[in-house]
Amino acid sequence: MSLLARLAPHLPYVRRYARALTGDQTTGDHYVRVALEALAAGERVLDPGLTPRVALYHVFHAIWCSSGAQLEGPTDEDLATDDTTRRLMRIAPRSRQAFLLTALEGFTPSEAAQILGADFSEVEQLIAEAQTEIDAELATDVLIIEDEPVIAADIEALVKELGHSVVDIAATRTEAIDAVARKTPGLVLADIQLADGSSGIDAVKDILARFDVPVIFITAFPERLLTGERPEPTFLITKPFQPETVKAAIGQALFFHPRKASKQAA
């Protein structure tokens, strides 16, 4: 298989990553092109010990570092009205790389360490630092839709630990709609099967019909959302959940939502 054929499926994603990293599509594409040219000319080779996608990102970073490129990016005044880009540029450069590789590109911390040529522990620390910056900037009001009191309390504790406020805990679809009517949340965490037999999916549909807010489903029945019959949720966590998984999903959902989440009055 030719080099191009091996890498073609991964090129749209490395372009996405380069754009997010640099804050500019033209600049990002330039570095991707240089990396591909170096591979074609034999100046760089894909590490046979890595998967093709990991190896491609590794070469991209090698080219980036060898160019002496700076990661600080443009100032807020130089950027267009892209809130996500502004937020990315404010994260410390090395943390930005680790965060994007794991949160945006879906690499594991181990794969991110291979790409960056870093230790696993260093990558974990970089991700944690990025998460702290994100949580501090994007503190918002959260609606929890969950009918199990113990689980709801656990989720509430996680949300508050991240610096967010819980506006309400709803156990039914009706309670969720009433809660939103009182105060618009900046984030919704929703179970699927609720106390009175109503559906968290229907509650979320009602909310999204009126408000543009990110949603994370936390459920013991993920198969009900993974049917292929409707757009599937970006953030879906299976019970029993790990606290760190929920924390990471909250940060990512708020960070990458098209409209900057903020506290809103009822």
Side-chain angles (χ1 to χ4, degrees), residues 133-210:
E133 293 186 48
I134 291 167
D135 294 337
E137 181 177 354
L138 298 181
T140 192
D141 293 321
V142 179
L143 170 63
I144 298 172
I145 305 175
E146 170 60 62
D147 65 327
E148 293 289 343
V150 174
I151 296 176
D154 287 343
I155 296 173
E156 180 179 22
L158 291 175
V159 166
K160 290 182 176 179
E161 185 179 335
L162 295 174
H164 306 297
S165 300
V166 174
V167 294
D168 213 331
I169 297 177
T172 68
R173 177 184 182 183
T174 299
E175 288 181 9
I177 301 309
D178 289 344
V180 171
R182 289 191 295 271
K183 188 173 183 64
T184 306
L187 173 69
V188 176
L189 304 180
D191 190 7
I192 291 177
Q193 186 168 298
L194 302 179
D196 60 351
S198 61
S199 167
I201 299 174
D202 292 334
V204 166
K205 284 182 180 178
D206 292 340
I207 293 169
L208 293 181
R210 299 173 58 195

Coordinates of all heavy atoms in Angstrom, one line a residue, residues 133-210:
E133 N -7.6 25.0 33.7 CA -7.8 26.3 33.1 C -9.2 26.4 32.5 O -9.9 27.4 32.5 CB -6.8 26.5 32.0 CG -5.4 26.7 32.5 CD -4.4 27.0 31.4 OE1 -4.7 27.9 30.6 OE2 -3.3 26.4 31.3
I134 N -9.7 25.3 31.8 CA -11.0 25.3 31.2 C -12.1 25.4 32.2 O -13.0 26.2 32.1 CB -11.2 24.0 30.4 CG1 -10.2 23.9 29.2 CG2 -12.6 23.8 29.9 CD1 -10.1 22.6 28.6
D135 N -12.0 24.6 33.3 CA -13.0 24.7 34.3 C -13.2 26.1 35.0 O -14.3 26.5 35.2 CB -12.7 23.6 35.4 CG -12.8 22.2 34.9 OD1 -13.5 22.0 33.9 OD2 -12.1 21.3 35.5
A136 N -12.0 26.7 35.2 CA -12.0 28.0 35.8 C -12.7 29.1 34.9 O -13.4 29.9 35.3 CB -10.6 28.5 36.1
E137 N -12.5 28.9 33.6 CA -13.0 29.9 32.6 C -14.5 29.7 32.3 O -15.3 30.6 32.1 CB -12.2 29.9 31.3 CG -12.7 30.9 30.3 CD -11.9 30.9 29.1 OE1 -10.9 30.3 29.0 OE2 -12.3 31.6 28.1
L138 N -14.9 28.4 32.3 CA -16.2 28.1 31.8 C -17.2 27.7 32.9 O -18.2 26.9 32.6 CB -16.1 26.9 30.8 CG -15.3 27.3 29.5 CD1 -15.3 26.1 28.6 CD2 -15.9 28.5 28.8
A139 N -17.0 28.2 34.1 CA -18.0 27.9 35.2 C -19.4 28.3 34.8 O -19.6 29.4 34.2 CB -17.6 28.6 36.4
T140 N -20.4 27.4 35.0 CA -21.7 27.7 34.5 C -22.7 27.0 35.4 O -22.4 26.4 36.4 CB -21.9 27.1 33.1 OG1 -23.1 27.6 32.5 CG2 -21.9 25.6 33.0
D141 N -24.0 27.2 35.1 CA -25.1 26.6 35.8 C -25.5 25.2 35.2 O -25.6 25.1 34.0 CB -26.3 27.5 35.8 CG -26.1 28.8 36.5 OD1 -25.5 28.7 37.6 OD2 -26.5 29.9 36.1
V142 N -25.6 24.2 36.0 CA -25.8 22.9 35.5 C -27.2 22.3 36.0 O -27.5 22.4 37.2 CB -24.7 21.9 36.0 CG1 -24.9 20.5 35.5 CG2 -23.4 22.5 35.5
L143 N -27.9 21.7 35.1 CA -29.1 21.0 35.4 C -28.8 19.5 35.4 O -28.3 19.0 34.4 CB -30.3 21.3 34.4 CG -31.5 20.4 34.5 CD1 -32.2 20.6 35.9 CD2 -32.5 20.7 33.4
I144 N -29.1 18.8 36.5 CA -28.9 17.4 36.5 C -30.3 16.7 36.4 O -31.2 17.0 37.2 CB -28.3 16.9 37.9 CG1 -26.9 17.6 37.9 CG2 -28.2 15.4 38.0 CD1 -26.2 17.4 39.3
I145 N -30.5 15.8 35.5 CA -31.7 15.0 35.3 C -31.4 13.6 35.7 O -30.8 12.8 34.9 CB -32.2 15.1 33.9 CG1 -32.4 16.6 33.4 CG2 -33.6 14.4 33.7 CD1 -32.8 16.7 32.0
E146 N -31.7 13.2 36.9 CA -31.4 11.9 37.4 C -32.3 11.5 38.5 O -32.6 12.3 39.4 CB -29.9 12.0 38.0 CG -29.5 10.8 38.8 CD -29.5 9.5 38.0 OE1 -28.8 9.3 37.0 OE2 -30.3 8.6 38.4
D147 N -32.9 10.3 38.5 CA -33.9 9.9 39.5 C -33.4 9.1 40.6 O -34.1 8.9 41.6 CB -35.0 9.1 38.8 CG -34.5 7.8 38.2 OD1 -33.4 7.8 37.8 OD2 -35.3 6.8 38.2
E148 N -32.1 8.7 40.6 CA -31.5 8.0 41.7 C -30.8 9.0 42.7 O -29.8 9.6 42.3 CB -30.5 7.0 41.2 CG -31.1 5.8 40.5 CD -31.9 4.9 41.4 OE1 -31.7 4.9 42.6 OE2 -32.7 4.1 40.8
P149 N -31.3 9.2 43.9 CA -30.8 10.2 44.8 C -29.3 10.1 45.0 O -28.6 11.1 45.0 CB -31.6 10.1 46.0 CG -32.9 9.4 45.6 CD -32.5 8.5 44.4
V150 N -28.8 8.9 45.2 CA -27.4 8.7 45.5 C -26.5 9.1 44.3 O -25.5 9.8 44.5 CB -27.1 7.3 45.9 CG1 -25.6 7.0 46.1 CG2 -27.8 6.9 47.2
I151 N -26.9 8.7 43.1 CA -26.2 9.0 41.9 C -26.3 10.5 41.7 O -25.2 11.1 41.3 CB -26.7 8.2 40.7 CG1 -26.5 6.7 40.9 CG2 -26.0 8.7 39.4 CD1 -27.1 5.9 39.8
A152 N -27.4 11.1 41.8 CA -27.6 12.5 41.7 C -26.7 13.3 42.6 O -26.0 14.3 42.2 CB -29.0 12.9 41.9
A153 N -26.6 12.8 43.8 CA -25.7 13.5 44.8 C -24.2 13.4 44.4 O -23.4 14.3 44.5 CB -25.9 12.9 46.2
D154 N -23.8 12.2 43.9 CA -22.5 12.0 43.4 C -22.1 13.0 42.3 O -21.1 13.6 42.2 CB -22.2 10.6 43.0 CG -22.2 9.6 44.1 OD1 -22.0 10.1 45.3 OD2 -22.3 8.4 43.9
I155 N -23.1 13.1 41.3 CA -22.9 14.0 40.1 C -22.8 15.4 40.6 O -22.0 16.2 40.1 CB -24.0 13.8 39.1 CG1 -23.9 12.3 38.5 CG2 -23.8 14.8 38.0 CD1 -25.0 12.0 37.6
E156 N -23.7 15.8 41.5 CA -23.7 17.2 42.0 C -22.4 17.5 42.7 O -21.8 18.6 42.5 CB -24.8 17.3 43.1 CG -24.9 18.7 43.6 CD -26.1 18.9 44.6 OE1 -26.5 17.8 45.2 OE2 -26.5 20.0 44.9
A157 N -21.8 16.6 43.4 CA -20.5 16.8 44.1 C -19.4 17.0 43.1 O -18.6 17.9 43.2 CB -20.2 15.6 45.0
L158 N -19.4 16.2 42.0 CA -18.4 16.4 40.9 C -18.6 17.7 40.2 O -17.6 18.4 40.0 CB -18.6 15.3 39.9 CG -18.3 13.9 40.3 CD1 -18.6 12.9 39.2 CD2 -16.8 13.8 40.6
V159 N -19.8 18.1 40.0 CA -20.1 19.4 39.3 C -19.6 20.6 40.1 O -18.9 21.5 39.7 CB -21.6 19.5 39.0 CG1 -21.9 21.0 38.6 CG2 -22.0 18.6 37.9
K160 N -19.9 20.5 41.4 CA -19.4 21.6 42.3 C -17.9 21.6 42.5 O -17.3 22.7 42.6 CB -20.1 21.5 43.7 CG -21.6 21.8 43.6 CD -22.3 21.7 45.0 CE -23.8 22.1 44.9 NZ -24.4 22.0 46.2
E161 N -17.3 20.4 42.5 CA -15.9 20.4 42.6 C -15.2 21.1 41.5 O -14.1 21.6 41.6 CB -15.4 18.9 42.7 CG -14.0 18.7 42.9 CD -13.6 17.2 43.0 OE1 -14.5 16.4 43.3 OE2 -12.4 16.9 42.7
L162 N -15.8 21.1 40.3 CA -15.2 21.7 39.1 C -15.5 23.2 39.1 O -15.1 23.9 38.2 CB -15.8 21.1 37.8 CG -15.4 19.6 37.6 CD1 -16.1 19.1 36.4 CD2 -13.9 19.5 37.4
G163 N -16.3 23.7 40.1 CA -16.5 25.1 40.2 C -17.8 25.6 39.6 O -18.1 26.8 39.5
H164 N -18.7 24.6 39.2 CA -20.0 24.9 38.6 C -21.0 25.0 39.6 O -20.9 24.5 40.8 CB -20.4 23.9 37.5 CG -19.3 23.7 36.4 ND1 -18.9 24.7 35.6 CD2 -18.6 22.6 36.1 CE1 -18.0 24.3 34.8 NE2 -17.7 23.0 35.1
S165 N -22.2 25.5 39.3 CA -23.3 25.6 40.2 C -24.4 24.7 39.7 O -24.6 24.5 38.5 CB -23.9 27.0 40.3 OG -22.9 27.9 40.7
V166 N -25.1 24.0 40.6 CA -26.2 23.1 40.2 C -27.5 23.9 40.4 O -27.9 24.3 41.6 CB -26.2 21.8 41.1 CG1 -27.5 21.0 40.8 CG2 -25.0 21.0 40.8
V167 N -28.2 24.2 39.3 CA -29.5 25.0 39.4 C -30.6 24.1 39.9 O -31.6 24.6 40.5 CB -29.8 25.6 38.1 CG1 -28.7 26.7 37.8 CG2 -30.0 24.6 37.0
D168 N -30.6 22.8 39.6 CA -31.7 21.9 40.0 C -31.3 20.5 39.7 O -30.5 20.2 38.9 CB -33.0 22.3 39.3 CG -34.2 22.1 40.2 OD1 -34.2 21.2 41.1 OD2 -35.2 22.8 40.0
I169 N -32.0 19.6 40.4 CA -31.9 18.1 40.2 C -33.3 17.7 39.9 O -34.2 17.7 40.8 CB -31.3 17.4 41.4 CG1 -29.9 17.8 41.6 CG2 -31.3 15.9 41.1 CD1 -29.2 17.2 42.8
A170 N -33.6 17.2 38.7 CA -34.9 16.8 38.2 C -34.9 15.3 38.1 O -34.0 14.6 37.6 CB -35.2 17.4 36.9
A171 N -36.0 14.7 38.7 CA -36.2 13.2 38.6 C -37.1 12.8 37.5 O -37.2 11.6 37.3 CB -36.7 12.7 40.0
T172 N -37.8 13.7 36.9 CA -38.8 13.3 35.8 C -38.7 14.4 34.7 O -38.1 15.4 34.8 CB -40.2 13.4 36.3 OG1 -40.6 14.7 36.6 CG2 -40.4 12.5 37.6
R173 N -39.3 14.0 33.6 CA -39.3 14.9 32.4 C -40.0 16.2 32.8 O -39.5 17.3 32.5 CB -40.0 14.3 31.2 CG -40.1 15.1 30.0 CD -41.0 14.4 28.9 NE -41.1 15.2 27.7 CZ -41.8 14.8 26.7 NH1 -42.4 13.6 26.7 NH2 -41.9 15.5 25.6
T174 N -41.1 16.1 33.5 CA -41.8 17.4 33.9 C -41.0 18.2 34.8 O -41.0 19.5 34.6 CB -43.1 17.0 34.6 OG1 -43.9 16.2 33.7 CG2 -43.9 18.2 35.0
E175 N -40.3 17.6 35.8 CA -39.5 18.4 36.7 C -38.4 19.1 35.9 O -38.0 20.2 36.2 CB -38.9 17.5 37.7 CG -39.9 17.0 38.8 CD -39.3 16.2 39.8 OE1 -38.1 16.1 39.9 OE2 -40.1 15.6 40.6
A176 N -37.8 18.4 34.9 CA -36.7 19.0 34.1 C -37.2 20.2 33.3 O -36.5 21.3 33.3 CB -36.2 18.0 33.1
I177 N -38.4 20.1 32.7 CA -38.9 21.3 32.0 C -39.2 22.4 32.9 O -39.0 23.6 32.6 CB -40.2 20.8 31.2 CG1 -39.8 19.7 30.2 CG2 -40.7 22.0 30.4 CD1 -38.6 19.9 29.3
D178 N -39.8 22.1 34.1 CA -40.1 23.2 35.0 C -38.8 23.9 35.5 O -38.8 25.1 35.7 CB -40.8 22.6 36.2 CG -42.3 22.1 35.9 OD1 -42.8 22.6 34.8 OD2 -42.8 21.4 36.7
A179 N -37.7 23.1 35.7 CA -36.5 23.6 36.2 C -35.9 24.6 35.2 O -35.4 25.7 35.5 CB -35.5 22.5 36.5
V180 N -36.0 24.2 33.9 CA -35.5 25.1 32.8 C -36.3 26.4 32.7 O -35.8 27.4 32.4 CB -35.4 24.3 31.5 CG1 -35.1 25.3 30.3 CG2 -34.4 23.2 31.5
A181 N -37.6 26.2 33.0 CA -38.4 27.4 32.9 C -38.0 28.4 34.0 O -38.2 29.7 33.8 CB -39.9 27.0 33.1
R182 N -37.6 27.9 35.1 CA -37.2 28.8 36.2 C -35.8 29.4 36.0 O -35.6 30.6 36.3 CB -37.1 28.0 37.5 CG -38.5 27.7 38.1 CD -38.4 27.1 39.5 NE -37.7 25.9 39.6 CZ -38.2 24.7 39.4 NH1 -39.5 24.5 39.2 NH2 -37.5 23.6 39.5
K183 N -34.9 28.7 35.4 CA -33.5 29.2 35.2 C -32.9 28.4 34.0 O -32.8 27.2 34.1 CB -32.7 29.1 36.4 CG -31.3 29.8 36.3 CD -30.6 29.8 37.6 CE -29.2 30.6 37.5 NZ -29.4 32.0 37.2
T184 N -32.4 29.1 33.0 CA -31.8 28.4 31.9 C -30.4 27.9 32.3 O -29.5 28.7 32.7 CB -31.6 29.3 30.7 OG1 -32.9 29.9 30.4 CG2 -31.1 28.6 29.5
P185 N -30.1 26.6 32.1 CA -28.8 26.1 32.5 C -27.8 26.3 31.3 O -28.2 26.5 30.2 CB -29.0 24.6 32.7 CG -30.2 24.3 31.7 CD -31.0 25.5 31.7
G186 N -26.5 26.2 31.7 CA -25.5 26.3 30.7 C -25.0 24.9 30.3 O -24.2 24.8 29.3
L187 N -25.5 23.9 31.0 CA -25.1 22.5 30.7 C -26.1 21.6 31.3 O -26.7 21.9 32.4 CB -23.7 22.2 31.3 CG -23.2 20.7 31.2 CD1 -22.9 20.3 29.8 CD2 -22.0 20.5 32.1
V188 N -26.5 20.5 30.6 CA -27.4 19.5 31.1 C -26.7 18.1 31.2 O -26.1 17.7 30.2 CB -28.6 19.4 30.2 CG1 -29.6 18.3 30.7 CG2 -29.4 20.7 30.1
L189 N -26.8 17.5 32.4 CA -26.4 16.1 32.6 C -27.6 15.3 32.7 O -28.4 15.5 33.7 CB -25.5 16.0 33.8 CG -24.2 17.0 33.8 CD1 -23.5 16.7 35.1 CD2 -23.4 16.7 32.6
A190 N -27.9 14.3 31.8 CA -29.2 13.6 31.8 C -29.1 12.1 31.8 O -28.3 11.5 31.1 CB -30.0 14.1 30.6
D191 N -29.9 11.5 32.7 CA -30.1 10.1 32.6 C -31.2 9.8 31.6 O -31.9 10.8 31.1 CB -30.5 9.5 34.0 CG -30.6 8.0 34.1 OD1 -30.1 7.4 33.1 OD2 -31.0 7.5 35.1
I192 N -31.4 8.6 31.2 CA -32.4 8.3 30.2 C -33.7 7.8 30.8 O -34.8 8.3 30.5 CB -31.9 7.2 29.2 CG1 -30.8 7.8 28.3 CG2 -33.0 6.7 28.3 CD1 -30.2 6.8 27.4
Q193 N -33.6 6.8 31.7 CA -34.8 6.3 32.4 C -35.1 7.0 33.7 O -34.3 6.9 34.6 CB -34.6 4.8 32.6 CG -35.8 4.1 33.1 CD -35.6 2.6 33.1 OE1 -35.5 2.0 32.0 NE2 -35.7 1.9 34.3
L194 N -36.2 7.7 33.8 CA -36.5 8.5 34.9 C -37.6 7.9 35.8 O -38.2 6.9 35.5 CB -37.0 9.9 34.4 CG -35.9 10.6 33.5 CD1 -36.4 12.0 33.1 CD2 -34.6 10.7 34.2
A195 N -37.8 8.6 36.9 CA -38.6 8.0 38.0 C -40.0 7.6 37.7 O -40.5 6.5 38.1 CB -38.6 9.0 39.2
D196 N -40.7 8.4 36.9 CA -42.1 8.1 36.6 C -42.3 7.3 35.3 O -43.4 7.3 34.8 CB -42.9 9.4 36.6 CG -42.5 10.4 35.5 OD1 -41.4 10.1 34.9 OD2 -43.1 11.4 35.3
G197 N -41.2 6.8 34.8 CA -41.3 6.1 33.5 C -41.1 7.0 32.3 O -41.1 6.6 31.2
S198 N -40.9 8.3 32.6 CA -40.7 9.3 31.5 C -39.2 9.1 31.0 O -38.4 8.5 31.6 CB -41.0 10.7 31.9 OG -40.2 11.1 33.0
S199 N -38.9 9.8 29.9 CA -37.6 9.6 29.3 C -36.8 10.9 29.4 O -37.2 12.0 29.1 CB -37.9 9.3 27.8 OG -36.7 9.4 27.0
G200 N -35.5 10.7 29.7 CA -34.6 11.8 29.7 C -34.3 12.3 28.3 O -33.9 13.4 28.1
I201 N -34.4 11.4 27.4 CA -34.2 11.7 26.0 C -35.3 12.8 25.5 O -34.9 13.8 24.9 CB -34.3 10.5 25.0 CG1 -33.2 9.5 25.4 CG2 -34.2 10.9 23.6 CD1 -33.3 8.2 24.7
D202 N -36.5 12.5 25.9 CA -37.6 13.4 25.6 C -37.4 14.8 26.3 O -37.7 15.8 25.7 CB -38.9 12.8 25.9 CG -39.3 11.6 25.0 OD1 -38.8 11.6 23.9 OD2 -40.1 10.8 25.5
A203 N -37.0 14.7 27.6 CA -36.7 15.9 28.3 C -35.7 16.8 27.6 O -35.8 18.0 27.5 CB -36.3 15.6 29.7
V204 N -34.6 16.1 27.2 CA -33.5 16.9 26.5 C -34.0 17.4 25.2 O -33.7 18.6 24.8 CB -32.3 15.9 26.3 CG1 -31.3 16.5 25.3 CG2 -31.6 15.6 27.6
K205 N -34.8 16.7 24.4 CA -35.4 17.2 23.2 C -36.2 18.5 23.5 O -36.1 19.5 22.7 CB -36.3 16.1 22.5 CG -35.6 15.0 21.9 CD -36.6 14.1 21.2 CE -35.9 12.9 20.5 NZ -36.8 12.0 19.9
D206 N -37.0 18.4 24.5 CA -37.8 19.6 24.9 C -36.9 20.8 25.2 O -37.2 21.9 24.8 CB -38.7 19.3 26.1 CG -39.8 18.3 25.8 OD1 -40.1 18.1 24.6 OD2 -40.3 17.7 26.8
I207 N -35.8 20.6 25.9 CA -34.9 21.6 26.3 C -34.2 22.2 25.1 O -34.1 23.4 24.9 CB -33.9 21.1 27.3 CG1 -34.6 20.8 28.7 CG2 -32.8 22.2 27.6 CD1 -33.8 20.0 29.7
L208 N -33.7 21.3 24.2 CA -32.9 21.8 23.1 C -33.8 22.5 22.0 O -33.3 23.2 21.2 CB -32.2 20.6 22.4 CG -31.1 20.0 23.2 CD1 -30.4 18.8 22.5 CD2 -30.0 21.0 23.6
A209 N -35.1 22.2 22.1 CA -36.0 22.9 21.2 C -36.1 24.4 21.5 O -36.5 25.2 20.7 CB -37.4 22.3 21.2
R210 N -35.8 24.7 22.8 CA -35.9 26.1 23.2 C -34.5 26.8 23.5 O -34.4 28.0 23.3 CB -36.7 26.2 24.5 CG -38.1 25.7 24.4 CD -38.8 25.6 25.8 NE -38.8 26.9 26.4 CZ -39.0 27.1 27.7 NH1 -39.3 26.0 28.5 NH2 -39.0 28.3 28.3

